[in-house]
Structure formats: structure tokens, C-alpha cells
């Protein structure tokens, strides 16, 4: 069965310590002023008197099932991994157009000021490869975040979604179907922007996609040609060596 990694969040226990943001920044060496995750805040209603409270909402890339960033990418650099459900960026294929950045209604992407390509949460791929949890999950002192494969019914994340009520922060008119689930309820809910596809998006997709397919094909062809050349040259060398021995 394919995996489907997701983040399950109990925002009611978030204390706005920002440990998740700090750990993410340190883990990935993010540039000053840029973040892969965030905490939104609901403005307190002071008319409630002593019942006034603040609500903090951890967030990050939603790794959507209907990822508008993927739809906006003309080169295929942004893609959704079919085996894990994680939205990834192949930086070697990125042409730096920025379409994916404006297409994300959650503002989960930014253009890296040094590398000049989009950057975002990838669930800490290096840590996952070592069997570790994402840095934000490990660091949270109240365990507001739970990460796991929700296609695995025995995972903690899947159990929480089965046993508890939950909500998603959806977008309109195009529903991104995000894979960040908030237990019970969460605030604020109205902060995502609109999905924006640049006017030149359709034209770029028609032009760039075929070019990249050709480039990848040529790259593969080049590798095959080099391989054949190596075999051929090896055979020729062996032939010369045998002739020398005969002589």
C-alpha cells in the first residue's frame, strides 16, 4: 500500500513558544527572515471578560492532494511523490519562474535568496531517512503535532483521525484538499489567499514541459551513447591486446 504522510495538529495545546519554527530553521539552515513553518494567532475577544483566551495555530506546507503549486509548475520541478504523498521540489528541473509560489494559497513557499529557487517544508526528508520525526514534531513541548502515515491504520496519526473529529483549512473556489488536519477545531480559518495562476502559465506549460521532456530524453540518450562507447572502446582495446599477443 502506498504511504500518505500527513500532519495531525491539536492547536488547542499550542502555547506559541515557536520551538517548531526555530528547530526547522536550524535543521535546514534557512536564511534570515525566511521560514518553512509558522504559527497563526486568533485575535482575542476581550468582550468575553475573564473567559478571554488566545488560540494559536501551527502550520506549514499542507502537502495537498490537489496541489495547486504542482498544477502551476511548467517544468515538472514541483511534483507530488506518488509513493509518499509528499509534495517535493526537484531543484535541478526548476527554471525559477515563481509560478508555484503565487499559486500556493497558504504562502508555504518562498524563493531562496541565494539559490534563487523555491523552498518549503519537505517533512525533513533527511531525518525521515534515518527513521526520525520532523524537527518541528520532535521539538514541540506540548506535542501539538503528530506526524505519520495515515494509510497505516496503526499509526498514531491515523488513530487520531479515526477517533477524533477534525477540520482542514480549505480554500475556495479551488479546494486543495490539504493533508494537515486539526483536531476538533482551530482558529483562525480565513487566512489563506486565493489560488493565482500567472497569465502566462498556460503558454509556459505548453512550451517548457515538452522542452524538459526532450532534455531528459536527450540526457538519457547521451548516457546510453557513452555506455555504448565505453563497451566498444573496451572491446577494441581487448582486440588490440590480443593482436599484440599474437604478434
Amino acid at each position: 500500500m502506498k504511504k500518505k504522510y500527513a500532519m495531525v495538529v491539536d492547536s488547542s495545546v499550542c502555547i506559541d513558544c515557536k520551538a517548531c519554527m526555530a528547530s526547522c530553521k536550524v535543521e535546514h539552515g534557512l536564511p534570515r527572515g525566511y521560514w518553512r513553518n509558522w504559527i497563526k494567532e486568533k485575535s482575542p475577544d476581550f468582550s468575553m471578560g475573564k473567559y478571554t483566551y488566545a488560540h494559536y495555530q501551527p502550520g506549514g506546507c499542507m502537502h495537498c492532494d490537489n496541489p495547486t503549486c504542482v498544477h502551476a509548475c511548467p517544468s515538472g520541478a514541483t511534483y507530488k511523490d506518488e509513493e509518499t504523498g509528499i509534495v517535493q521540489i526537484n531543484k535541478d528541473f526548476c527554471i525559477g519562474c515563481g509560478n508555484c509560489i503565487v499559486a500556493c494559497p497558504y504562502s508555504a513557499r518562498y524563493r531562496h535568496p541565494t539559490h534563487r529557487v523555491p523552498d518549503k517544508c519537505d517533512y525533513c526528508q533527511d531525518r525521515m531517512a534515518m527513521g526520525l520525526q520532523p524537527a518541528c514534531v520532535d521539538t514541540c513541548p506540548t506535542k501539538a503535532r503528530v506526524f505519520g502515515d495515515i494509510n497505516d491504520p496503526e499509526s498514531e496519526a491515523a488513530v487520531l483521525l479515526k477517533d477524533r473529529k477534525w477540520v482542514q483549512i480549505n480554500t475556495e473556489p479551488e479546494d486543495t484538499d490539504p493533508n494537515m488536519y486539526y483536531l476538533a477545531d482551530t482558529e483562525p480559518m480565513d487566512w489563506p489567499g486565493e489560488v493565482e495562476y500567472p497569465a502566462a502559465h498556460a503558454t509556459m506549460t505548453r512550451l517548457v514541459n515538452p522542452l524538459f521532456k526532450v532534455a531528459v530524453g536527450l540526457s538519457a540518450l547521451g548516457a546510453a551513447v557513452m555506455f555504448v562507447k565505453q563497451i566498444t572502446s573496451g572491446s577494441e582495446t581487448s582486440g588490440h591486446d590480443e593482436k599484440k599477443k599474437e604478434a
Side-chain angles (χ1 to χ4, degrees):
M1 180 187 295
K2 292 181 179 179
K3 298 180 184 295
K4 185 178 181 181
Y5 286 107
M7 192 76 71
V8 180
V9 181
D10 184 354
S11 59
S12 68
V13 300
C14 176
I15 58 176
D16 194 30
C17 68
K18 294 184 173 57
C20 57
M21 296 176 63
S23 62
C24 174
K25 198 172 186 69
V26 171
E27 178 72 23
H28 301 287
L30 303 184
R32 182 183 296 273
Y34 295 90
W35 308 86
R36 285 187 174 188
N37 58 0
W38 57 78
I39 297 176
K40 302 288 184 182
E41 179 181 357
K42 177 188 176 182
S43 299
D45 180 4
F46 293 101
S47 67
M48 297 175 65
K50 64 179 182 179
Y51 298 106
T52 298
Y53 69 95
H55 195 119
Y56 303 106
Q57 180 190 86
C61 175
M62 305 286 179
H63 296 277
C64 308
D65 279 345
N66 179 31
T68 52
C69 57
V70 172
H71 305 328
C73 179
S75 69
T78 288
Y79 65 99
K80 188 171 178 67
D81 191 315
E82 294 183 358
E83 297 301 319
T84 64
I86 299 174
V87 175
Q88 302 273 32
I89 302 174
N90 184 333
K91 295 179 180 179
D92 291 334
F93 281 7
C94 180
I95 60 175
C97 67
N99 282 10
C100 62
I101 296 174
V102 297
C104 175
Y106 303 106
S107 298
R109 292 167 171 253
Y110 68 90
R111 189 191 301 274
H112 195 286
T114 303
H115 307 312
R116 307 306 296 167
V117 294
D119 185 67
K120 70 171 197 68
C121 163
D122 63 356
Y123 285 149
C124 291
Q125 292 289 287
D126 291 342
R127 292 176 62 87
M128 287 181 65
M130 296 185 288
L132 302 174
Q133 291 280 299
C136 61
V137 175
D138 256 355
T139 309
C140 180
T142 62
K143 303 306 174 187
R145 295 170 178 260
V146 174
F147 173 75
D149 174 16
I150 58 176
N151 278 347
D152 175 5
E154 296 184 358
S155 71
E156 184 180 359
V159 171
L160 284 172
L161 294 182
K162 179 183 178 182
D163 295 342
R164 303 272 300 273
K165 292 182 178 180
W166 48 266
V167 297
Q168 298 164 293
I169 300 179
N170 294 305
T171 53
E172 295 181 353
E174 190 169 356
D175 183 3
T176 58
D177 196 7
N179 279 303
M180 185 168 285
Y181 302 87
Y182 293 90
L183 297 178
D185 58 11
T186 190
E187 291 289 347
M189 295 286 286
D190 58 354
W191 59 266
E194 295 183 358
V195 176
E196 296 182 30
Y197 293 117
H201 167 252
T203 302
M204 290 183 69
T205 301
R206 285 197 301 270
L207 292 174
V208 176
N209 260 334
L211 289 174
F212 263 84
K213 289 179 180 177
V214 170
V216 171
L218 289 175
S219 177
L221 179 60
V225 170
M226 290 298 294
F227 180 66
V228 172
K229 283 184 175 180
Q230 288 177 354
I231 294 177
T232 305
S233 62
S235 300
E236 291 175 352
T237 302
S238 299
H240 288 312
D241 290 342
E242 289 179 0
K243 287 180 179 179
K244 286 181 180 179
K245 287 180 181 177
E246 291 176 357

